[in-house]
Amino acid sequence: MADDVPLADDPLDTPVQYVRGCGPRRAALLAKLDILTVRDLLFLLPRDVLDLSVAASVEELNADTIHTVRGVVVDVDARPTRNGRTLVKAVVETNSGMVRASFFNQPWMRKKLPPGQRVMLTGKPKRYDGAWEFSSPQVQSLEGEPDGAAGGIEPRYALTEGVNQRGLNMLATRAVEGFGHYICDPLPKAFRDQHGLPHLRDAAANLHAAQTLEDFNAARDRVLFDDLFEFQLGVALRRRLWRSGGSADPLPVSAKIDARIRRLFPFEFTDGQNQAVKEIAADLASEIAMHRLLQADVGAGKTVVALYAMLTAVAHGRQAVLMAPTEVLANQHWATVQHALAHSRVERRLLTGRLTAKKRKDLRARIKSGAVQLIVGTQALIQKGVEIPRLGVAVVDEQHKFGVAQRAAFSAGDRDPHVLVMTATPIPRSLALTQFGDLDVTTVRDLPPGRQPVVTSRVPGPKARQKTWHFIREKLDEGRQLYVICPKVGSADEADAESDELSASVEATYKELVEGELKGYAVGLVHGRMDADKKDAAMNAFKTGETRVLVSTTVVEVGVDVPNATLMVIQKAESFGLSQLHQLRGRVARGSRRGYCFLYTDQTSPAATERLGVLERTTDGFEIAEADFAQRGPGHVLGTRQSGKSALRVADPQRDRDLLETARRRAFHLVETAQFDEPDWAMVKAEVLDRFGEVLELAKTG
């Protein structure tokens, strides 16, 4: 490193332009790859590597697959092409046969490959005139190397225009040479030795200049492990903070309470619901506030489980709330509560932003007095002026649509409520260990008896759609009902915040169907930009059967229950995630009749066919969630609403799931045994707090 480099407080935070050979121009290019500092360059993770130490035989070669061969140049010539350029061809004899190498417009290769030269060629061969030929392969001279010498490991990076592989590798190795000695390893030596982890300084060097594949893999795993380990330490601290930060009122479920609650439902709980109730009841009996995630497949009856927890609080003289992200879902939960408690004396109310000022004021007063025992609502529940002094249980539905601060609003005061967060979208294992890693998890997989499966079919192109509409009209004539779901074309995520463009698209589809395929049928329309009264009127008309068809956006994704609706058409199905498509089709076949879901698409590529084919093959929401996560990637594992930035630097929870599991076990062990509080871990703790301190301050819910 040059003496005139202006070091930062931490030398690794020095701007990358001061790496030897970089400069401002290259630094500007590297910025496009998010490489701003020396640290970024040192720990830049190659996307893959070429293992030049493994040579293939001629018999092992495959077209369009990268191979490495070793041999001796036996012939080379250069000939002009028709456009006046030069084509160099060399013949290389390997231990298993001859191969050719060709170099277009690289006349210098003739001198680089004299006969008798021992070389290694790496590239994608093709079969020409009965022989394998490498077009413009990478060439490495083996002169001076003993027979069988390894060719080393060549990292391959993600690039941007103006930056090539060799140049980026050169800069990375120079960063190691100039700044590597500043790398301090925060992990205690005893911990590294116990788990076979290389020093961080060695890992940085072997990311870019490893001599063996084993060295590279160890370096790569060390960098990925640190990323996941620090995150899991943060998650473990969040969990410890939650469990030690405040106490809750124990709400034990006696046999009498259990019997009184179950009598409200005209059906037996499923095995999955019974197990969920058992786990939740154990939490409620503790003075440590429950902090549990309830995940269930579509139609598995999670609301019943949530209501059981809420009624347990009421049985102990406490209050309970259920907060949903939209008015549509809040109203649906309210209908479920009203139906279940039709013959109960539990005082219950619905609180949403649509109440008049006077009604809202009166309801707030009754809630504050404790007269209202059970409240269902939207975010209006956590607005200023709402006081729930005897809150025992808070249920947050579709919790991924809320931010941490919103959920934490239920946890103020000396006594914390027991908190149950729910999602009807099954969560992949790797995501459950990251985004929801500090929650206890309860899973309900089985469905109530009598539920019919939904037959799902991909419908590509106009001809197939004509046949489908004929089938749909036959079912409508038999008395069934149909949803037509229009895709998101706006930028908003929430159904209540849809774009004008999306609303116009839905209205255009509505008009087209009323004048075309569904002419003569009573068709309703609903979307998030409609006046609330008109939206409710459209939903009620569909529920009562007054309209036979409902053209809608994803406002019906959750919470809408119309047993007679057995048909669904999803327009431009390729524009939705798999889990969302599964959620949508869960709106049909909610009665005793078989349902049909038609995925309209104009995409016919193998990838698109395979993607939607997942929904044709299975109705298991957990399997679909894994496939969806694998296809779409993790994104921000904490969600932008929860942290404002991606929590992980280089790791991918799906790709690196084995490392994630290992990092989680070690992190939780350290925190739970208090070893993490020892001085040896001070550097790691500082890094964890720096990365996740903001989240830790809000860690009262998931």
Side-chain angles (χ1 to χ4, degrees):
M1 184 184 66
D3 293 336
D4 58 349
V5 172
L7 291 179
D9 291 339
D10 183 339
L12 301 188
D13 291 330
T14 300
V16 72
Q17 75 176 70
Y18 294 107
V19 172
R20 183 166 59 89
C22 184
R25 188 182 66 82
R26 283 187 174 177
L29 296 175
L30 294 179
K32 298 178 182 179
L33 298 170
D34 292 327
I35 302 172
L36 305 177
T37 67
V38 170
R39 187 191 311 276
D40 297 333
L41 188 55
L42 286 170
F43 297 106
L44 175 65
L45 209 65
R47 67 168 189 261
D48 55 39
V49 293
L50 291 177
D51 184 1
L52 304 182
S53 65
V54 178
S57 66
V58 172
E59 293 82 4
E60 294 171 331
L61 298 181
N62 291 304
D64 296 322
T65 299
I66 294 179
H67 287 289
T68 296
V69 296
R70 286 196 184 94
V72 178
V73 178
V74 296
D75 188 32
V76 64
D77 67 21
R79 65 191 72 170
T81 63
R82 291 181 179 178
N83 59 10
R85 300 192 176 184
T86 301
L87 176 65
V88 175
K89 285 206 171 188
V91 178
V92 176
E93 182 179 12
T94 76
N95 291 335
S96 55
M98 299 285 190
V99 298
R100 293 196 295 256
S102 60
F103 305 89
F104 179 70
N105 203 35
Q106 300 177 59
W108 61 86
M109 292 304 299
R110 182 174 184 180
K111 292 184 178 180
K112 189 173 181 179
L113 294 171
Q117 172 91 322
R118 292 177 57 246
V119 295
M120 182 159 56
L121 307 177
T122 300
K124 294 181 179 180
K126 289 189 176 181
R127 196 82 176 172
Y128 289 117
D129 299 329
W132 287 104
E133 181 171 316
F134 289 78
S135 177
S136 298
Q138 179 180 326
V139 178
Q140 184 171 341
S141 173
L142 297 180
E143 288 305 303
E145 298 283 350
D147 287 345
I153 302 299
E154 180 169 304
R156 312 293 288 177
Y157 307 93
L159 300 175
T160 189
E161 186 175 352
V163 179
N164 60 34
Q165 296 290 351
R166 287 185 180 276
L168 189 50
N169 181 248
M170 176 195 70
L171 290 175
T173 54
R174 287 180 177 175
V176 172
E177 293 168 1
F179 292 85
H181 59 284
Y182 289 112
I183 297 175
C184 295
D185 198 320
L187 295 183
K189 185 177 185 303
F191 183 84
R192 296 200 309 268
D193 292 344
Q194 179 184 357
H195 299 295
L197 299 172
H199 193 286
L200 197 56
R201 187 180 304 119
D202 297 330
N206 283 328
L207 279 181
H208 311 294
Q211 290 303 302
T212 68
L213 190 59
E214 290 75 16
D215 286 344
F216 172 79
N217 286 336
R220 178 180 181 275
D221 285 353
R222 170 64 206 270
V223 174
L224 291 172
F225 174 81
D226 280 17
D227 195 19
L228 293 164
F229 184 56
E230 289 172 5
F231 180 54
Q232 287 299 318
L233 285 167
V235 170
L237 288 173
R238 284 170 64 180
R239 180 178 171 83
R240 186 171 74 176
L241 179 64
W242 170 264
R243 297 180 68 85
S244 63
S247 58
D249 292 322
L251 307 173
V253 181
S254 65
K256 182 178 180 181
I257 290 175
D258 178 78
R260 284 171 54 192
I261 295 175
R262 290 176 185 267
R263 277 201 300 267
L264 296 171
F265 301 99
F267 51 78
E268 294 291 327
F269 285 11
T270 65
D271 290 344
Q273 288 173 323
N274 280 323
Q275 180 60 33
V277 163
K278 181 179 179 181
E279 293 173 7
I280 290 170
D283 286 349
L284 293 177
S286 172
E287 290 187 3
I288 298 175
M290 176 172 66
H291 193 209
R292 184 169 291 275
L293 170 70
L294 173 62
Q295 64 167 339
D297 206 344
V298 175
K302 64 184 174 63
T303 306
V304 171
V305 176
L307 190 50
Y308 185 102
M310 297 170 71
L311 291 172
T312 299
V314 172
H316 283 276
R318 303 295 190 272
Q319 293 168 291
V321 301
L322 192 165
M323 184 171 74
T326 67
E327 287 196 10
V328 170
L329 185 51
N331 285 324
Q332 180 60 42
H333 283 312
W334 176 245
T336 301
V337 168
Q338 285 287 72
H339 180 73
L341 304 184
H343 304 292
S344 169
R345 289 177 295 179
V346 173
E347 187 71 16
R348 56 206 181 266
R349 290 291 185 271
L350 174 67
L351 175 59
T352 67
R354 294 184 58 197
L355 292 178
T356 64
K358 183 179 187 308
K359 288 183 177 180
R360 189 182 305 118
K361 181 179 179 181
D362 292 343
L363 180 52
R364 286 176 175 175
R366 288 180 57 76
I367 292 173
K368 183 177 181 179
S369 71
V372 179
Q373 299 164 289
L374 192 153
I375 312 108
V376 176
T378 58
Q379 294 183 57
L381 285 166
I382 56 174
Q383 300 302 313
K384 185 177 180 181
V386 178
E387 297 180 46
I388 313 173
R390 297 183 59 77
L391 182 59
V393 170
V395 179
V396 182
D397 196 16
E398 293 302 310
Q399 60 83 41
H400 59 284
K401 295 182 179 179
F402 292 108
V404 173
Q406 292 166 301
R407 299 193 297 272
F410 286 124
S411 302
D414 296 333
R415 308 290 284 180
D416 287 335
H418 296 278
V419 175
L420 180 68
V421 294
M422 306 195 298
T423 177
T425 304
I427 299 165
R429 169 69 176 165
S430 50
L431 194 59
L433 297 181
T434 50
Q435 185 172 346
F436 310 102
D438 62 327
L439 282 75
D440 297 311
V441 179
T442 290
T443 300
V444 181
R445 287 180 174 268
D446 51 355
L447 299 179
R451 286 291 297 269
Q452 294 295 312
V454 179
V455 178
T456 303
S457 302
R458 190 177 57 88
V459 185
K463 287 187 178 180
R465 286 199 277 273
Q466 287 180 2
K467 294 181 180 179
T468 301
W469 282 121
H470 178 73
F471 173 82
I472 288 171
R473 286 191 293 268
E474 287 182 343
K475 291 296 179 182
L476 290 175
D477 291 341
E478 292 175 8
R480 306 288 75 79
Q481 288 174 272
L482 162 72
Y483 293 102
V484 178
I485 307 298
C486 297
K488 291 180 178 179
V489 294
S491 59
D493 293 328
E494 305 287 341
D496 282 353
E498 291 169 356
S499 68
D500 291 325
E501 184 183 358
L502 175 53
S503 302
S505 172
V506 177
E507 290 172 353
T509 299
Y510 168 80
K511 183 177 180 181
E512 179 183 328
L513 291 175
V514 167
E515 296 174 354
E517 299 290 356
L518 297 176
K519 188 174 183 179
Y521 294 93
V523 182
L525 170 68
V526 64
H527 56 75
R529 304 284 283 192
M530 289 174 64
D531 174 84
D533 290 334
K534 290 182 179 179
K535 184 166 39 174
D536 287 347
M539 298 292 287
N540 289 331
F542 188 65
K543 289 177 184 178
T544 60
E546 181 182 340
T547 54
R548 310 301 300 284
V549 180
L550 185 64
V551 179
S552 174
T553 60
T554 55
V555 69
V556 300
E557 180 182 351
V558 291
V560 179
D561 192 357
V562 182
N564 190 48
T566 62
L567 303 162
M568 176 172 283
V569 166
I570 302 178
Q571 305 272 17
K572 295 187 181 299
E574 72 278 358
S575 65
F576 296 89
L578 294 182
S579 290
Q580 188 174 36
L581 289 170
H582 178 60
Q583 184 71 253
L584 286 165
R585 74 173 170 184
R587 297 306 101 203
V588 299
R590 298 183 72 85
S592 59
R593 296 183 179 87
R594 170 166 292 188
Y596 300 87
C597 179
F598 301 102
L599 308 175
Y600 283 15
T601 180
D602 291 321
Q603 293 192 2
T604 57
S605 68
T609 301
E610 166 60 24
R611 181 173 177 275
L612 294 180
V614 173
L615 289 155
E616 293 181 293
R617 290 193 301 271
T618 182
T619 57
D620 185 333
F622 294 88
E623 181 181 342
I624 290 166
E626 293 288 353
D628 194 22
F629 192 63
Q631 290 177 8
R632 294 194 298 144
H636 292 314
V637 295
L638 281 181
T640 53
R641 290 182 186 83
Q642 295 179 333
S643 70
K645 60 180 179 179
S646 177
L648 296 176
R649 291 167 174 157
V650 292
D652 179 327
Q654 182 80 2
R655 180 196 65 201
D656 307 317
R657 180 166 156 178
D658 289 345
L659 266 179
L660 171 61
E661 300 263 10
T662 299
R664 179 177 176 82
R665 285 195 304 272
R666 294 174 184 172
F668 272 64
H669 175 74
L670 284 170
V671 172
E672 289 170 357
T673 60
Q675 293 179 54
F676 191 56
D677 299 320
E678 295 175 0
D680 284 352
W681 289 96
M683 285 182 64
V684 180
K685 181 175 284 189
E687 179 67 13
V688 171
L689 293 176
D690 181 57
R691 290 180 67 184
F692 310 114
E694 181 181 353
V695 176
L696 286 169
E697 291 175 3
L698 302 174
K700 286 291 186 175
T701 64

